Amino acid sequence: MIDMAVFKQFQGAIAHLGEMAQPEPIADDERVARAKAVMRRKTDRSLALDLESCVNCGYCSEACHFYQGTQDPKYTPTRKLDLLRRVHARESAAFAPITRLFTRDINLADLQEWQELVYDSCTECGRCSMVCPMGINIARGVNVMREALSEAGLVPLELMAVAQEQAGRGTVFGVGPTELAGVVETLRGRGITIPLDEPHADVMLVTTVIDVLLFQDALAATARILNHLKVDWTLRSAGFEAANFGLLSGNEALQAAASQRIIDEALAIGAKAVILPECGHAYPTLRWEGRLPNGKPLPFEVLAASEFVGREIREGRLTLVPGDPSRKLTYHDACKLARHGGVIDEPRAALQALGVDFRETSPTAELNWCCGGGAGTFLINRAAPLRHKAWQIKRAQVEATGADTVVLSCASCRLNFMEGDEVEQSGLHIESLIELVAAQLPGPPAS
Ligand code: SF4
Ligand code: SF4
């Protein structure tokens, strides 16, 4: 059970996050030059094709929760790439020398305007690309824009503050090895075996600041499942943090360094697999973008917690005590897990194994609506009204199923659902998939 007082405390802390940011003093011209340099460097053949092939059909608008929630044309997905498009057209496209004659260069005001478009009003969910007849990867272009703005020192202050903390002290929201050890002790006090800093293990479990601070039951649940399966596993103090504010802020160097900490620890203990917590963005960061320093693929598997339990169930290694068949559950697919990551069947295998009345949303799986809080948007204070409009689409989708509970496998989505529910007092029951699975393990409740 989540302690609502702790959640409120967390919200209070977020409200003041921006005050901790230390913006770099950069001259206006230098900001523009830095942003343009990133845009040029990142505009490879594939991105150039994306920038040049939009036919302005508008289908992507129908797919975007921020456009749908506001009907404001400035939130049209393809428009979010316009600045990148302008730089490409003036500097690297085939007719760039001619285009430069009758178009103006981008300036600081443009970059400032795009800050809201690529941080507040895009969760990089990728839903627009699912319907684009030209297959344009808008989320990738938005991410390049985040990298450009990060280089220009124009990251929203809340994300800047956390990224600076992670890059400097190596902690996130003040949570480091000491705080992890404290939670491990608390859970051990509940009778749960939690190996910490074992020198060798087959599986390295990664957790996240959100679980350490708010969702300790999710960490406890994952530990209980691993123990039940008799997996040889450990947490590692030097590589436990899944949250990657390099990815969220657009700071490439930090993204690589934060991933490297996990990779180094997994290599040090000879792990055959790394299991990530219920955290959407951690999955593509490590699973699809994680590489050894020499560029080679990681020599271990990377699994999301929901993917791991679903696979164990499907392969017959994990069976659950049947639950209440009259309980009506639906599932919210976190965008980074389902749409970007393909983790679709495994969580459903786990939901079916619960023995409850499982109801799909419509649409579902890779076309499921985003909750509006991903990619760091949840932390941006001024984005709250916009985020809420997006969440209302999600809430309506969940309510249409007639389910009494929505099940999630991403802590960030969970926070956004809790915030949305708090605003509307909708009485939505929100559960973590991993916690539901652990609650139906055969045998005694803690081990
Ligand atoms: S759906 Fe694709 S082609 Fe159509 S407007 Fe959007 S980005 Fe352009
Ligand atoms: S990636 Fe998602 S949030 Fe961003 S423009 Fe596309 S649909 Fe909208």
Side-chain angles (χ1 to χ4, degrees):
M1 280 295 288
I2 172 78
D3 183 336
M4 288 309 286
V6 179
F7 177 58
K8 288 213 175 290
Q9 237 177 4
F10 183 71
Q11 284 178 310
I14 289 173
H16 295 284
L17 259 185
E19 295 160 24
M20 286 182 266
Q22 294 179 316
E24 195 187 345
I26 308 172
D28 293 358
D29 287 355
E30 175 66 12
R31 287 187 200 274
V32 175
R34 285 190 190 186
K36 281 173 60 179
V38 173
M39 291 188 222
R40 277 196 303 265
R41 180 166 53 83
K42 287 300 179 102
T43 304
D44 54 16
R45 200 184 308 187
S46 139
L47 183 51
L49 197 61
D50 277 353
L51 295 174
E52 291 185 17
S53 58
C54 176
V55 293
N56 289 310
C57 65
Y59 288 155
C60 53
S61 303
E62 303 303 312
C64 179
H65 43 292
F66 291 114
Y67 174 79
Q68 283 301 314
T70 60
Q71 297 293 308
D72 187 334
K74 77 173 174 172
Y75 297 132
T76 303
T78 188
R79 184 172 179 272
K80 292 169 187 171
L81 302 190
D82 270 358
L83 210 58
L84 200 49
R85 213 172 260 128
R86 275 165 54 190
V87 170
H88 170 61
R90 281 178 52 89
E91 308 209 2
S92 48
F95 297 107
I98 299 168
T99 308
R100 275 200 294 275
L101 296 176
F102 58 86
T103 59
R104 73 161 173 83
D105 203 354
I106 67 164
N107 58 31
L108 182 63
D110 293 323
L111 293 176
Q112 286 164 333
E113 182 186 349
W114 252 260
Q115 189 193 69
E116 195 236 353
L117 296 179
V118 299
Y119 286 100
D120 305 30
S121 64
C122 181
T123 46
E124 299 183 5
C125 76
R127 195 166 191 269
C128 46
S129 298
M130 300 294 295
V131 300
C132 173
M134 307 305 288
I136 294 170
N137 189 343
I138 288 169
R140 187 193 167 214
V142 165
N143 195 254
V144 167
M145 280 302 302
R146 285 192 181 200
E147 288 171 358
L149 291 177
S150 172
E151 196 65 25
L154 293 171
V155 175
L157 292 179
E158 297 89 336
L159 291 179
M160 184 186 286
V162 191
Q164 285 174 338
E165 181 196 342
Q166 192 169 25
R169 296 206 300 273
T171 59
V172 179
F173 300 131
V175 170
T178 308
E179 291 70 23
L180 175 71
V183 170
V184 167
E185 277 316 304
T186 303
L187 297 183
R188 284 174 178 166
R190 285 167 49 185
I192 301 166
T193 303
I194 311 254
L196 177 63
D197 288 330
E198 293 296 329
H200 303 285
D202 289 342
V203 169
M204 186 173 96
L205 177 65
V206 176
T207 184
T208 164
V209 56
I210 305 297
D211 286 359
V212 170
L213 291 176
L214 289 148
F215 303 140
Q216 293 178 6
D217 284 350
L219 174 56
T222 315
R224 288 188 53 224
I225 294 165
L226 290 168
N227 294 340
H228 175 81
L229 290 166
K230 302 197 183 327
V231 172
D232 171 30
W233 70 280
T234 188
L235 283 164
R236 294 278 291 186
S237 311
F240 74 88
E241 183 54 75
N244 190 320
F245 278 85
L247 176 78
L248 302 180
S249 66
N251 181 331
E252 272 189 288
L254 174 59
Q255 177 182 340
S259 293
Q260 197 59 46
R261 279 190 199 133
I262 297 173
I263 293 167
D264 286 346
E265 289 303 295
L267 294 175
I269 65 167
K272 297 179 190 132
V274 167
I275 298 180
L276 297 170
E278 291 188 318
C279 173
H281 78 268
Y283 189 73
T285 311
L286 204 63
R287 175 73 180 259
W288 305 121
E289 295 186 37
R291 285 282 179 279
L292 292 177
N294 62 9
K296 292 202 168 155
L298 301 178
F300 49 79
E301 266 190 299
V302 176
L303 295 159
S306 57
E307 184 181 21
F308 170 70
V309 293
R311 189 176 76 176
E312 295 303 293
I313 287 167
R314 289 170 91 182
E315 295 182 3
R317 289 185 289 272
L318 179 61
T319 49
L320 304 179
V321 175
D324 177 358
S326 68
R327 192 168 180 201
K328 304 179 195 71
L329 304 188
T330 190
Y331 181 65
H332 164 67
D333 290 275
C335 305
K336 301 287 192 295
L337 289 174
R339 195 153 33 243
H340 290 257
V343 180
I344 292 170
D345 295 339
E346 294 86 352
R348 285 167 172 77
L351 287 156
Q352 296 292 354
L354 294 173
V356 296
D357 178 358
F358 171 54
R359 299 167 174 212
E360 289 280 12
T361 55
S362 175
T364 189
E366 68 273 21
L367 279 174
N368 218 328
W369 281 99
C370 174
C371 72
T377 311
F378 182 78
L379 299 181
I380 303 172
N381 292 313
R382 68 181 180 215
L386 186 60
R387 203 163 60 222
H388 191 71
K389 284 196 169 87
W391 183 78
Q392 284 174 318
I393 297 172
K394 186 78 231 181
R395 190 210 59 204
Q397 194 197 14
V398 166
E399 283 178 356
T401 66
D404 49 52
T405 300
V406 58
V407 182
L408 310 172
S409 46
C410 169
S412 174
C413 299
R414 193 171 169 187
L415 289 173
N416 198 48
F417 268 75
M418 288 170 68
E419 181 188 75
D421 183 52
E422 187 188 36
V423 172
E424 297 205 355
Q425 293 291 305
S426 58
L428 196 61
H429 199 60
I430 302 156
E431 292 270 12
S432 131
L433 179 62
I434 207 82
E435 290 176 35
L436 287 178
V437 168
Q440 290 182 216
L441 286 175
S447 60

